[in-house]
Amino acid sequence: MALHPELVRIVKYNPAWQDLFELECGRLQRIFAGADALIEHVGSTSVVGMGAKPIIDIMVGVNSLDDVTERFAGLDQLGY
């Protein structure tokens, strides 16, 4: 499948991306409280100074998939 450049938008680095991650991280920390989850800002928006697609990518690492399934309702409330 060929990529079409008009479908991918890369923008200049925005320092607000870190703030947006922190906001979402706090919301996820409340949902995953007690699960010993690791929440990381990943992807191009996490690299200071680099242009990126303006989408904040977040990875949540858990010890068990049960830690996620038990929190579906909370994640659903966030709109994920």
Side-chain angles (χ1 to χ4, degrees), residues 6-26:
E6 66 274 9
L7 299 178
V8 178
R9 184 171 63 112
I10 304 296
V11 299
K12 290 182 180 179
Y13 176 76
N14 184 342
W17 290 337
Q18 182 62 33
D19 296 333
L20 292 170
F21 164 72
E22 294 295 336
L23 177 69
E24 291 304 312
C25 182

Side-chain angles (χ1 to χ4, degrees), residues 59-71:
M59 180 185 71
V60 180
V62 295
N63 293 315
S64 167
L65 288 178
D66 290 338
D67 291 334
V68 177
T69 56
E70 293 169 359
R71 291 164 172 84

Side-chain angles (χ1 to χ4, degrees), residues 17-44:
W17 290 337
Q18 182 62 33
D19 296 333
L20 292 170
F21 164 72
E22 294 295 336
L23 177 69
E24 291 304 312
C25 182
R27 296 169 75 190
L28 289 165
Q29 285 173 333
R30 286 187 290 279
I31 289 172
F32 283 93
D36 196 30
L38 179 63
I39 303 169
E40 296 287 337
H41 186 184
V42 298
S44 53

